[in-house]
Each structure stands twice: as structure tokens, then as C-alpha cells.
Amino acid sequence: MSPATGLAPASVTLNPEPETTKEPLAHPTMLTHVTVVPPEGDWYEVAARVPDIFASQQHKPRDKKLYEYYYVPETIEYFTGFTLLVVERELRPGPGMFLALREENGKKQLCSFLISYKGLDQTNTRTPDMQTIGRVRIMDYWELDTKK
């Protein structure tokens, strides 16, 4: 059959089951503390299940204590709703997206800035009023139960 189809023998399978009947891949999760950042009111923490980045073969974190989780349940100035941010607190040199906070009218606001290179020069979008939280390692759509 492979000469007629142009496929190598290793790529031809005789599996009569359609692909849709296979079990979906499991995405490991873990229970941890997440800081919820609502559009109005104070930030608060919840215990929640989030993607387990420590189970990944591609991402081998050094220490779980270096990572924090932030959740934006509704759209704010810098992030859309249902955004989960995994932030590495240890700052290292190099380009990337960074999570920060700033105070406006006595309220904490979550914001971000970028560091990039233009030739050999480093440029960034950070403003002086931003206090760096850490480097954003993962930013993803995630639905989380945000009840205290």
C-alpha cells in the first residue's frame, strides 16, 4: 500500500478506529495558591488547581518557591479576562514580558512591560511607577473558581 500512496511503511497504520474515539491527553494540574486580581476591589488569594508546569519535560524549573500565580478573572487594562499568569520571581537578564504593579489613586493595579533588544541595545516599555513582580513564564486562558 505504501508505494501507491507515497507514504513510508512506518507511517501507514491499519487502525480501524477513527481518531476521535481515542482518550484525550491528560494535562496534569496541581493545587497551589493563586492571587486573584479583580478589576475592582482588593487582590486576594485562593487555593486552586492550575497547570502543573513542573511535570513538563520542556520546562524544568529549579525551585517551586520562585514561581507565583496570578489570575485575571475579568478584562483589565493590560490583560483579558480568564488569564492565568505564571511568574518567575527570580530576575535574570534578557528579553521577555514582565509583570509589575503600580499604585493609582491608592489602589494596586496589575500591569506589564516588555524588554527587548534593538541591535545590541536593550529597550523596554517600563515606566518609572512600575514595581517589577517578575518575568512572565506562561500566560494562558484558564477558567478558575475564584471564590474566597
Side-chain angles (χ1 to χ4, degrees):
M1 180 156 93
S2 55
T5 61
L7 298 173
S11 63
V12 177
T13 27
L14 300 173
N15 185 357
E17 291 185 48
E19 290 291 320
T20 56
T21 61
K22 290 185 178 179
E23 295 278 326
L25 293 174
H27 298 288
T29 61
M30 66 180 195
L31 187 63
T32 191
H33 292 282
V34 178
T35 301
V36 178
V37 183
E40 299 292 326
D42 294 331
W43 299 8
Y44 59 92
E45 277 197 9
V46 296
R49 291 213 154 274
V50 298
D52 186 356
I53 63 169
F54 303 98
S56 169
Q57 293 302 313
Q58 290 83 19
H59 182 84
K60 301 218 187 246
R62 292 181 307 276
D63 185 356
K64 287 186 178 188
K65 292 181 219 131
L66 295 176
Y67 295 84
E68 293 180 357
Y69 298 80
Y70 292 83
Y71 183 66
V72 180
E74 297 176 46
T75 300
I76 58 177
E77 184 179 347
Y78 283 83
F79 300 100
T80 60
F82 302 108
T83 298
L84 178 67
L85 300 146
V86 180
V87 178
E88 185 178 21
R89 294 289 304 208
E90 183 179 67
L91 295 177
R92 296 175 282 117
M97 179 178 176
F98 293 80
L99 197 63
L101 72 88
R102 67 175 172 208
E103 291 212 17
E104 192 170 298
N105 300 326
K107 291 184 177 182
K108 290 194 297 188
Q109 285 191 318
L110 194 65
C111 53
S112 66
F113 64 92
L114 300 174
I115 293 179
S116 60
Y117 286 97
K118 194 176 269 184
L120 296 177
D121 298 324
Q122 189 180 74
T123 63
N124 69 67
T125 59
R126 186 176 187 267
T127 59
D129 61 339
M130 291 181 179
Q131 300 170 23
T132 305
I133 295 172
R135 179 188 304 266
V136 175
R137 297 298 299 198
I138 299 172
M139 181 172 71
D140 204 356
Y141 174 87
W142 193 259
E143 289 189 45
L144 197 68
D145 182 7
T146 58
K147 295 181 187 111
K148 292 183 190 180

